[in-house]
Amino acid sequence: MPNGELFAVKKLWKTGKDEETVDFFASEIQIMGHIRHQNIVKLLGYCSNKSLKLLLYSYVPNCNLQQLLQNNRNLDSEIRYKIALGSAQGLAYLHRDCLTAILHRDVKCNNILLDSKYEAYLADFGLAKLTNSSNYQQAVSLVAGSYGYMAPSK
């Protein structure tokens, strides 16, 4: 921006199924528009037309946790603890402190952003679900999230 403020822009790509892009877009706006927590990236606004869907977020200036771990395997325990605590506090807020609990459904190293002081921010709420939504039961029975990992079943 002219005043030097930076934003992060997330562009949602069309997958061939217009409804799918709209669902992720609407879901992320609905969920992110109502929550504020120090360990969750802030949605500042959105732009949409027939061919383009953009989400505007506060800029987190460092990297994500996966990039940090790939480039620096010798992190001291204090930084590791700070990242783990920030991530846990963000998840605890979603599960306990929101008026309606939110399931992220895609927590992974790529979706934990880190600022220059290694504060952790949960990001990418495209697969998230409100526990009181009409499609919650259907959503929790579907496999969602990243390839290569599936949570253990009971």
Side-chain angles (χ1 to χ4, degrees), residues 124-137:
D124 196 352
F125 283 72
L127 294 176
K129 295 291 178 195
L130 298 168
T131 58
N132 72 346
S133 69
S134 60
N135 65 351
Y136 171 71
Q137 289 302 324

Side-chain angles (χ1 to χ4, degrees), residues 87 103 107:
S87 301
L103 299 179
V107 176

Side-chain angles (χ1 to χ4, degrees), residues 80-130:
R80 288 176 187 266
Y81 178 76
K82 185 175 191 175
I83 294 168
L85 182 62
S87 301
Q89 288 173 333
L91 286 170
Y93 172 78
L94 293 174
H95 296 175
R96 288 190 326 224
D97 298 334
C98 287
L99 211 48
T100 301
I102 298 168
L103 299 179
H104 187 283
R105 299 191 335 144
D106 198 20
V107 176
K108 60 183 178 180
C109 292
N110 284 347
N111 293 337
I112 298 173
L113 305 180
L114 303 170
D115 69 10
S116 58
K117 296 178 182 177
Y118 298 104
E119 292 293 336
Y121 298 85
L122 298 179
D124 196 352
F125 283 72
L127 294 176
K129 295 291 178 195
L130 298 168

